[in-house]
Amino acid sequence: MEKREFDQKFFLVREDVLPEAMKKTLEAKALLERGSAESIWDAVQQVDLSRSAFYKYRDTVFPFHTVVKEKIISLFFFLEDKPGALSKLLEIVATSKCNVLTIHQTIPLQGRANVTLSLDVTEMNVDMDELLATFRRLEFVAKVDVLSSGGY
């Protein structure tokens, strides 16, 4: 049975235990990012890697610094069940230049629902405290908390 994308596990692995094809894929990707190679063909030729190996690993192996520079926060909301509430939250997220990574909403019980948003805030154009204050001012937000802030 094939694993779906959200079922995938990730590991941090030391470079010296990676297979050569993965190391060379990382080198080829770096050449492409820097503009030192004009095409994938050119990059794989420079690092002595087959194109098939490059395509096999290109979306599965990443340098550590690209993962660490991501700024991800998870916010928990306790919302009153009102039409358009989630839509308004997402509008504020978009206006703030945050990118939604995940949304989890419970079924409303007794007129309230829990919503958890995981956001990439790498490009965020407002201060975090200002964003939280904006959410707290909404009449349908009973509570907002920061659950985690990896890299922020």
Side-chain angles (χ1 to χ4, degrees):
M1 182 175 184
E2 185 176 320
K3 281 191 168 192
R4 293 171 294 196
E5 185 174 321
F6 56 85
D7 291 335
Q8 302 291 321
K9 291 183 181 180
F10 293 87
F11 300 93
L12 182 61
V13 180
R14 241 182 24 237
E15 179 183 21
D16 62 325
V17 297
L18 285 177
E20 276 304 307
M22 285 185 176
K23 292 180 194 177
K24 289 182 177 186
T25 299
L26 287 167
E27 290 176 44
K29 287 172 63 171
L31 290 172
L32 290 164
E33 286 176 20
R34 287 193 310 264
S36 299
E38 293 182 12
S39 65
I40 291 173
W41 175 253
D42 184 31
V44 297
Q45 290 294 307
Q46 288 184 48
V47 299
D48 191 30
L49 178 69
S50 71
R51 281 183 7 157
S52 62
F54 176 83
Y55 284 113
K56 178 179 180 180
Y57 295 120
R58 76 172 177 177
D59 295 325
T60 61
V61 62
F62 306 95
F64 183 66
H65 69 86
T66 62
V67 178
V68 172
K69 76 177 182 182
E70 299 283 330
K71 293 181 179 179
I72 298 171
I73 63 164
S74 294
L75 301 176
F76 170 82
F77 296 88
F78 195 44
L79 303 179
E80 292 180 26
D81 184 26
K82 293 192 175 190
L86 183 58
S87 177
K88 181 63 178 168
L89 284 182
L90 296 176
E91 179 184 327
I92 292 167
V93 167
T95 302
S96 302
K97 300 287 187 199
C98 298
N99 185 35
V100 176
L101 301 173
T102 64
I103 300 174
H104 180 265
Q105 179 177 349
T106 62
I107 294 173
L109 297 173
Q110 299 177 350
R112 299 219 172 162
N114 296 329
V115 175
T116 304
L117 296 178
S118 294
L119 307 173
D120 178 344
V121 294
T122 305
E123 303 294 324
M124 187 167 64
N125 61 10
V126 296
D127 180 71
M128 178 58 66
D129 292 329
E130 183 181 334
L131 179 64
L132 293 172
T134 301
F135 288 135
R136 288 182 178 121
R137 283 192 295 269
L138 298 171
E139 79 269 358
F140 54 83
V141 174
K143 180 179 182 178
V144 60
D145 287 320
V146 177
L147 292 179
S148 68
S149 57
Y152 188 78

